[in-house]
């Protein structure tokens, strides 16, 4: 138990359309560090007394998160829109209220459909390792899987 003060007030009211009082709308990640398209990030819960962080990500229609893997896992709930998720060597269509679990060291990428955004809550460890991107060989291996090749081509202009 600790009496350390928490960083958020008891209530941060919803402002509508997945924005909240006192929550900054940020870039998904530094554009120079990894490829992605049309993704925003809001950190909903991050506190020294909490071993986890809760984030809300929103992918624009036709956009996608970075294809990556890392030791830490993700626990995700889709909350708005429509899209597909690559997890390991499978691709899943997702809709609001679907629960998505991404185990450690599993390749993953979220793609919004061409005409609808995709918004999801993502729970992660507060202390976590940095994501790895696929090497050229690993990317070729993923593309060699017909199910995944179709997914990668899905949002290509
Ligand atoms: Mn990740």
């Amino acid at each position: 138990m600790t009496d350390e003060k928490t960083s958020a007030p008891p209530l941060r009211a919803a402002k509508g359309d997945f924005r909240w009082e006192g929550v900054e709308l940020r870039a998904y990640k530094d554009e120079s560090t990894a490829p992605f398209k049309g993704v925003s990030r809001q950190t909903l819960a991050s506190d020294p007394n909490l071993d986890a962080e809760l984030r809300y990500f929103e992918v624009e229609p036709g956009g996608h998160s970075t294809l990556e893997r890392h030791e830490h896992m993700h626990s995700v709930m889709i909350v708005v829109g429509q899209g597909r998720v690559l997890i390991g060597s499978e691709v899943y269509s997702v809709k609001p209220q679907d629960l998505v679990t991404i185990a450690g060291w599993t390749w993953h990428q979220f793609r919004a459909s061409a005409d609808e955004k995709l918004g999801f809550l993502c729970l992660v460890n507060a202390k976590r390792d940095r994501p790895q991107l696929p090497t050229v060989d690993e990317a070729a291996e993923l593309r060699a899987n017909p199910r995944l090749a179709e997914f990668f081509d899905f949002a290509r202009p």
Side-chain angles (χ1 to χ4, degrees), residues 28-29 55 66 68-70 72 74 102 108 131:
Y28 169 53
K29 49 180 77 167
R55 301 91 51 84
T66 303
E68 63 179 30
R69 67 178 178 180
H70 35 66
H72 63 272
H74 292 310
I102 299 167
H108 55 284

Side-chain angles (χ1 to χ4, degrees), residues 3-156:
D3 58 5
E4 197 175 339
K5 284 195 173 162
T6 57
S7 52
L11 175 67
R12 289 170 291 160
K15 297 198 293 186
D17 203 24
F18 300 95
R19 298 298 314 278
W20 294 265
E21 282 175 5
V23 177
E24 191 188 350
L25 182 69
R26 299 165 68 193
Y28 169 53
K29 49 180 77 167
D30 178 354
E31 298 215 29
S32 66
T33 60
F36 66 92
K37 183 179 167 192
V39 187
S40 65
R41 167 207 296 256
Q42 297 177 78
T43 300
L44 307 183
S46 178
D47 190 282
N49 293 316
L50 195 63
D51 290 337
E53 288 187 353
L54 182 65
R55 301 91 51 84
Y56 175 71
F57 293 96
E58 203 166 274
V59 186
E60 294 172 4
H64 59 85
S65 65
T66 303
L67 173 63
E68 63 179 30
R69 67 178 178 180
H70 35 66
E71 183 176 26
H72 63 272
M73 69 177 291
H74 292 310
S75 186
V76 167
M77 181 191 278
I78 308 296
V79 293
V80 65
Q82 195 179 311
R84 299 201 289 173
V85 188
L86 180 158
I87 306 170
S89 56
E90 297 293 334
V91 174
Y92 303 90
S93 291
V94 290
K95 64 183 189 305
Q97 301 181 36
D98 282 349
L99 296 171
V100 176
T101 299
I102 299 167
W105 294 121
T106 306
W107 293 115
H108 55 284
Q109 184 176 50
F110 291 81
R111 285 187 182 270
S113 68
D115 51 7
E116 258 194 83
K117 68 182 181 183
L118 180 67
F120 56 94
L121 296 168
C122 179
L123 183 69
V124 284
N125 300 66
K127 286 182 186 161
R128 55 189 183 269
D129 59 317
R130 295 184 71 82
Q132 287 181 0
L133 305 183
T135 64
V136 171
D137 285 351
E138 286 166 342
E141 197 176 319
L142 289 164
R143 284 181 188 284
N145 178 334
R147 294 195 302 277
L148 303 194
E150 192 267 330
F151 174 81
F152 292 125
D153 290 342
F154 169 59
R156 204 173 267 176

